[in-house]
Amino acid sequence: MEQSLLAHISQQTQNGELTQKLDRTQSTSHHLGENRDDYGDQKELLREKLESCLFNAVSKCLETQNSKGAWLVVPDGRIFDTALVGYALSKTLDPKDINRIEQARRWVANAKPQNHCPVAYLIENLLRKILLGEDGIVDISDPQLLTPVFANRTALLYTLALHAGLKVQAPFGEEVLRKKIAEMFEQCKHDQLKKLWSKVEIVSMHILLEAKADNWSAVQTAHRELLLMQSSDGSFAFNPISTAMAYIALSVAAPDSTAWQQSKLHLLNNQESDGSWRYFTNDVWDTVLTVRSFRGYPMFDLEALPSALNFLQSVQNSDGGWSFRTLVESDNDTTAAALLALSESPQGEAVAPKALAYLANQQMENGLWRTWQFKSDPPIADVVAHVVSALDAYKDKHSISVLAAKQWLTEQYEENQTWQSWYRIEPYLVTEISQALDMNCSTTQLAVKILEDVQNPDGGWGFEPGSESNASATGLALAALIRKGYRIDRPSVYKALEFLIETQQSDGTWQGFPQMYGPRPLLNHYQTHTQAFAVSGILDAWKSLSEGNR
């Protein structure tokens, strides 16, 4: 079946028959269901149109799968990463490498700061100012910058501004900042579960502030802690942000040391050809998303799925969990999502006992789960939902209760009419959390109804209600509608399909936009995520048509 379907679509695409057939019916296909006599023909044409769209998307997917069976792409560039690394290197580079900094400055000068929220704009604008050597006052007096979500970013901005010799307008002075970071340093030395890159940033800030205060004994103590966190590739936690901060700190505490040289070499080797530096790559998370979204399409299941499942099985950590990328500590979100991707497979059967034990160990006393393992991390709705869905998928293999988690998800929506997520995509929340709850429960029904009501006139959805339509949000919204049982001839469903088909580019991809937080409030864009989210809705529609559903 798989090979015949592939050959059929490929031949029609090559000789133009499918395109010609679709062009001839363009006007009628915009009004599916209005003429019931033509509905059968239009449904068949829609199925062919979806097959062509999926064939192109899956072909691109197969091209980008690596030899390990994983998907791994470099995210789009941002001012934050490029300006921070560029600044870190700018004072210490050999003359032969100075062109690297000039290239980075040109990239940053031509880039636009993220403006989805004032804090993101402030962060990127400040880093741009620091790299370009502009003078001025850095104003971080806004009260929201001191909230728990932004406090660490604010401390980093304050420290960098002081290091760059800029004047800072803040609600507290430099000495208060120094004492606060010193307290955080003492805490993180004993917190084995805190994210490694967060520790690196705290230790690096501590070194810079204590050096500025001429407290060199504290600098050397922190320097020894920093050395313990360097990875074998010279980076710190494989993160350009933490590596740049560590390099600046090492330039103060131990210039020309082996650790300093190794981190410098790592940063230089990871500059992109356009002059930018990029955030984390996520081979595990990208593979999990791709499998969950593309699975069920014959060509993908035949050519890509086996090696992808083998990859996911092979990168399970010794504690039973998975991390968003290899060689990083396990997190609860990726562990649950990996279990979902591996469900109903031999690989899933093999990994389930240790993975379920990991999730049981990570459950909080209130029945919820954090994203990360350290105790100060709050639960996030999409993470809790992924764990619930994973446990439901393996319900015959454990006795972990999910009742409190489901109740909490329901209460969160009743209180806020939304949930919190690692993505800036409202339809992502509805789709993922609806899977964890009963599709017929009142919370899910209300969330899907509200989602349908905010569809844009062009048939798409934006990240938030009223924002410009994009493929990620539209694919996820479409998936939510179809999984709720909405028929293909429902206007909202059909208009969404049209939007996705018409906005697919010639290479099988869709245009993407920054959509995943990291670190908050900044956003990243990975093309693998856009592809997965767009395809999730299209594939659900194709399955519905193929199964004979209207």
Side-chain angles (χ1 to χ4, degrees), residues 157-371:
L157 289 179
Y158 201 160
T159 303
L160 284 172
L162 292 172
H163 185 265
L166 296 173
K167 295 180 180 180
V168 180
Q169 183 175 331
F172 52 87
E174 179 181 337
E175 183 62 19
V176 173
L177 173 67
R178 186 176 72 84
K179 289 181 179 180
K180 178 179 177 61
I181 297 301
E183 291 172 0
M184 294 173 66
F185 169 73
E186 291 299 325
Q187 291 173 358
C188 79
K189 280 198 304 182
H190 307 292
D191 189 350
Q192 298 301 314
L193 297 179
K194 191 171 182 65
K195 291 176 289 187
L196 182 60
W197 54 91
S198 296
K199 284 187 175 183
V200 172
E201 291 175 21
I202 291 169
V203 175
S204 299
M205 287 189 286
H206 182 57
I207 289 174
L208 296 179
L209 293 169
E210 294 301 327
K212 196 169 186 298
D214 288 327
N215 188 356
W216 292 99
S217 62
V219 168
Q220 291 309 312
T221 298
H223 169 236
R224 289 191 291 271
E225 290 288 330
L226 190 59
L227 293 180
L228 297 174
M229 294 184 279
Q230 188 168 27
S231 304
S232 59
D233 66 352
S235 75
F236 286 80
F238 311 104
N239 184 335
I241 298 169
S242 55
T243 304
M245 288 300 298
Y247 182 76
I248 297 171
L250 289 169
S251 298
V252 171
D256 297 320
S257 64
T258 300
W260 181 87
Q261 294 283 0
Q262 290 175 339
S263 57
K264 174 183 177 181
L265 182 62
H266 174 85
L267 292 172
L268 288 172
N269 287 342
N270 282 274
Q271 187 178 24
E272 297 293 319
S273 59
D274 63 2
S276 66
W277 279 272
R278 309 296 176 88
Y279 196 52
F280 276 122
T281 52
N282 310 310
D283 52 347
V284 181
W285 184 256
D286 288 6
T287 303
V288 163
L289 273 187
T290 301
V291 168
R292 291 186 63 209
S293 296
F294 282 80
R295 191 176 190 176
Y297 190 73
M299 183 166 67
F300 177 85
D301 291 352
L302 179 69
E303 300 188 34
L305 184 61
S307 59
L309 297 180
N310 287 338
F311 167 76
L312 291 176
Q313 181 183 6
S314 72
V315 295
Q316 184 181 26
N317 290 332
S318 58
D319 63 4
W322 282 263
S323 54
F324 63 91
R325 57 160 293 145
T326 50
L327 303 178
V328 174
E329 61 266 27
S330 299
D331 66 82
N332 299 331
D333 199 16
T334 308
T335 299
L339 277 173
L340 287 170
L342 290 162
S343 63
E344 300 182 2
S345 74
Q347 295 89 339
E349 291 291 315
V351 302
K354 287 183 67 176
L356 293 170
Y358 169 88
L359 290 176
N361 184 56
Q362 289 296 311
Q363 189 173 28
M364 302 162 62
E365 291 184 2
N366 61 3
L368 306 180
W369 286 264
R370 306 176 179 92
T371 303

Side-chain angles (χ1 to χ4, degrees), residues 40-87:
D41 290 340
Q42 292 177 36
K43 189 170 93 168
E44 181 59 31
L45 288 169
L46 176 62
R47 181 175 17 247
E48 291 179 335
K49 206 169 185 179
L50 292 178
E51 287 177 349
S52 177
C53 182
L54 285 169
F55 174 78
N56 291 333
V58 174
S59 296
K60 185 66 175 181
C61 182
L62 296 178
E63 289 176 13
T64 54
Q65 187 178 28
N66 66 25
S67 59
K68 295 180 179 179
W71 285 268
L72 184 153
V73 299
V74 176
D76 294 353
R78 300 184 302 189
I79 289 175
F80 183 58
D81 312 88
T82 301
L84 181 53
V85 178
Y87 173 71

Side-chain angles (χ1 to χ4, degrees), residues 491-529:
S492 58
V493 173
Y494 190 74
K495 287 172 64 180
L497 285 170
E498 280 195 318
F499 176 88
L500 289 168
I501 292 169
E502 292 170 3
T503 56
Q504 188 181 35
Q505 301 173 126
S506 59
D507 64 351
T509 65
W510 284 267
Q511 183 181 7
F513 304 91
Q515 57 192 354
M516 185 183 195
Y517 289 107
R520 290 181 186 271
L522 297 166
L523 294 166
N524 281 290
H525 173 246
Y526 299 83
Q527 187 60 38
T528 41
H529 301 192

Side-chain angles (χ1 to χ4, degrees), residues 421-440:
S421 170
W422 280 99
Y423 284 95
R424 181 202 174 196
I425 314 176
E426 196 78 21
Y428 176 83
L429 290 162
V430 177
T431 303
E432 295 295 270
I433 296 173
S434 293
Q435 182 176 339
L437 300 175
D438 183 349
M439 288 301 295
N440 293 316

